[in-house]
Amino acid sequence: MAATSSSPAPFIDWSLLGHVVVYSVVIGVGLVVAFSFGLAALSLARGTGRSALVRVTGSIVSVVMVAAIASALVWGLMLIVKK
Amino acid sequence: MLLLLIVVGVALAFDFTNGFHDTANAVAPTIATGALKPRTAVAMCSVLNLVGAFLSIKVAATIASALVAQNLVTLPVIFAGLIGAICWNVTTWYFAIPSSSSHALIGGVIGAMLVMAGGHSVLWSGLVSKVIIPAGLAPFVALVAAAVAVVAARRLTSRVDASTSTMGFRIGQIGSSSLLSLAHGTNDAQKTMGVVTLALIANGSLSANASTPVWVIVACAVAIALGTFFGGWRIIRTMGKGFHHLTPQQGFAAQIASSAVILTSSHMGLPLSTTHVATGSIVGVGAATTNHPVHWRLVGNVALAWVITLPAAGLAGAVAYFFAHLIGGTFGVIVLALVAAAYLALIFRLSRRHVVNSINVNDAIDGIGEAVAPKTPVAV
């Protein structure tokens, strides 16, 4: 990887490693938070004794969260495939 | 030509052991929490490994060009490296230790290279920056990501009733396990693709820095998927039941964190060990919650195995190359292949004394020593 570069590559590419660390933590935590938020919203929507507004809002939020997670995964996989 | 065929065959055998050894990385939490039946989980993982292998070849390029001097690589060196890696993989499988197949492969090839051509044949900067530093970093990144994720998940779902939470996270685990299987195929199948590409370059069948041929991608994808399908039940048991008692919420958080780390590193071209990442995540979710203690002694034993994987596989690769070279030519390679086959047969025979399979994979264990002796006896 480094051999063909015109300028000498650093012995350890801390920038690359830093990107892996930051993106991994942000994406990993973000997806779990989104899923949990959707699950909590679904629980609200399914709960007994809730108003219609709460039920509808809960359902919409849970669907939006699932869609957001699916979109993030598809986008991530497309980035990898493009490479 | 015969030598090239043997090397490619041994490379695919290594790829098979890689899938077999690493099935646990993707499915252990899913099986341990009962989100999927063991056989179903393993079959799903196998198919997604196959698909994942076609998604990217960036790691393959790193393996083929960034670790050893391509112009010095010979077919016997690659053969010896693969033999060292296979022997280490199968030995650690016998002892139910989730060690890194990637490091076994890299260690084996480097060990053989050192004997053949000396220290200048190894690209030390590539080894340190692409393997050793990420190896040290990966489990901690996964541990932190998984720990933060599980704490956030617990807080956000603290008012969700238990049945909805359990059901929701189990369904989520099927998705996260699928993603992790895909990530494993994307990352690990490429390592063997890189080695086969190196072999083709060494044989003169490809020019230096050539891209990986399609038939190599297909063969490696099929080999790792087949290995995954047979399921390394011993290691699945260690990862699913050995470190601590996993809940569906923890399993989901661990698998999503692992997928994020592996896919990100694949995208950046770093050949990370999926085993280190998956283990770090599982330990992370256990350390972040207090209901079931983490078995730190087992974690320590596994970490020790990680440290010695690179030198041990390197030593095995070096010894294999030394004897193949001593005997000489293709005949030396054939003799070594037969010796390795005999060793594998011995390990397999020993493993039949305490069978771990889909029936007893969820038996509780205390540590590595007990991992080979499940409480539910299985007829051989």
Side-chain angles (χ1 to χ4, degrees):
Chain A
M1 198 170 181
T4 54
S5 174
S6 54
S7 59
F11 188 71
I12 297 169
D13 192 343
W14 291 110
S15 168
L16 181 71
L17 290 171
H19 278 93
V20 170
V21 171
V22 172
Y23 290 149
S24 299
V25 173
V26 169
I27 294 167
V29 174
L31 287 176
V32 173
V33 165
F35 186 86
S36 305
F37 198 61
L39 199 60
L42 181 69
S43 175
L44 270 181
R46 292 175 59 183
T48 53
R50 310 275 188 203
S51 68
L53 180 66
V54 170
R55 283 168 178 268
V56 171
T57 308
S59 299
I60 291 171
V61 170
S62 60
V63 169
V64 167
M65 285 299 127
V66 170
I69 292 167
S71 307
L73 294 182
V74 169
W75 179 70
L77 290 174
M78 279 175 66
L79 272 183
I80 290 170
V81 173
K82 270 190 199 168
K83 288 255 175 182
Chain B
M1 189 63 185
L2 175 64
L3 189 55
L4 178 65
L5 285 175
I6 293 172
V7 171
V8 172
V10 173
L12 294 178
F14 166 78
D15 208 19
F16 180 91
T17 67
N18 191 347
F20 183 76
H21 201 275
D22 290 7
T23 314
N25 298 343
V27 299
T30 314
I31 292 172
T33 61
L36 280 176
K37 288 192 164 66
R39 282 278 174 207
T40 311
V42 165
M44 182 194 76
C45 180
S46 172
V47 171
L48 288 165
N49 262 279
L50 182 73
V51 175
F54 290 95
L55 291 184
S56 166
I57 55 164
K58 204 171 182 214
V59 171
T62 299
I63 292 280
S65 63
L67 301 177
V68 289
Q70 278 184 351
N71 59 323
L72 295 176
V73 174
T74 63
L75 288 177
V77 162
I78 298 171
F79 166 81
L82 287 164
I83 290 292
I86 290 173
C87 289
W88 181 253
N89 257 2
V90 172
T91 305
T92 50
W93 163 77
Y94 173 72
F95 287 106
I97 302 170
S99 67
S100 168
S101 301
S102 321
H103 291 179
L105 174 63
I106 292 166
V109 170
I110 287 175
M113 280 295 279
L114 285 173
V115 172
M116 195 270 296
H120 70 283
S121 62
V122 178
L123 305 180
W124 296 104
S125 63
L127 180 66
V128 172
S129 65
K130 300 277 184 186
V131 179
I132 293 176
I133 299 284
L137 206 61
F140 293 104
V141 176
L143 188 148
V144 170
V148 173
V150 81
V151 168
R154 195 177 49 191
R155 291 198 175 172
L156 281 168
T157 59
S158 59
R159 291 186 181 178
V160 177
D161 63 284
S163 66
T164 304
S165 174
T166 302
M167 185 198 68
F169 280 114
R170 276 188 177 156
I171 292 170
Q173 266 197 288
I174 297 172
S176 60
S177 183
S178 302
L179 185 64
L180 195 47
S181 301
L182 202 68
H184 184 262
T186 304
N187 201 329
D188 275 43
Q190 295 183 54
K191 291 162 189 166
T192 312
M193 291 176 202
V195 170
V196 176
T197 305
L198 257 183
L200 292 168
I201 292 169
N203 191 54
S205 309
L206 283 180
S207 59
N209 296 316
S211 59
T212 308
V214 175
W215 70 265
V216 174
I217 297 173
V218 173
C220 291
V222 170
I224 201 166
L226 275 176
T228 306
F229 183 72
F230 281 91
W233 299 109
R234 289 166 179 270
I235 300 174
I236 292 175
R237 186 160 164 253
T238 300
M239 290 185 74
K241 290 292 175 183
F243 295 122
H244 59 91
H245 177 81
L246 273 167
T247 63
Q249 187 183 62
Q250 290 174 320
F252 175 75
Q255 288 173 311
I256 287 289
S258 298
S259 303
V261 177
I262 294 165
L263 286 172
T264 306
S265 66
S266 252
H267 180 62
M268 306 277 185
L270 283 182
L272 272 195
S273 162
T274 52
T275 307
H276 291 191
V277 172
T279 305
S281 295
I282 291 173
V283 172
V285 294
T289 45
T290 52
N291 48 345
H292 295 287
V294 175
H295 298 154
W296 290 108
R297 191 165 156 262
L298 176 60
V299 176
N301 287 341
V302 169
L304 182 65
W306 291 354
V307 172
I308 64 172
T309 291
L310 208 59
L315 183 65
V319 169
Y321 179 79
F322 177 78
F323 282 106
H325 184 67
L326 197 67
I327 298 165
T330 306
F331 181 67
V333 166
I334 292 171
V335 169
L336 253 290
L338 292 175
V339 171
Y343 177 72
L344 300 188
L346 172 70
I347 292 286
F348 182 74
R349 191 173 169 78
L350 288 173
S351 76
R352 306 310 289 169
R353 291 190 305 191
H354 299 295
V355 176
V356 182
N357 60 18
S358 59
I359 296 166
N360 60 9
V361 71
N362 276 337
D363 280 4
I365 53 174
D366 295 328
I368 284 175
E370 211 193 328
V372 293
K375 292 179 175 57
T376 310
V378 175
V380 179

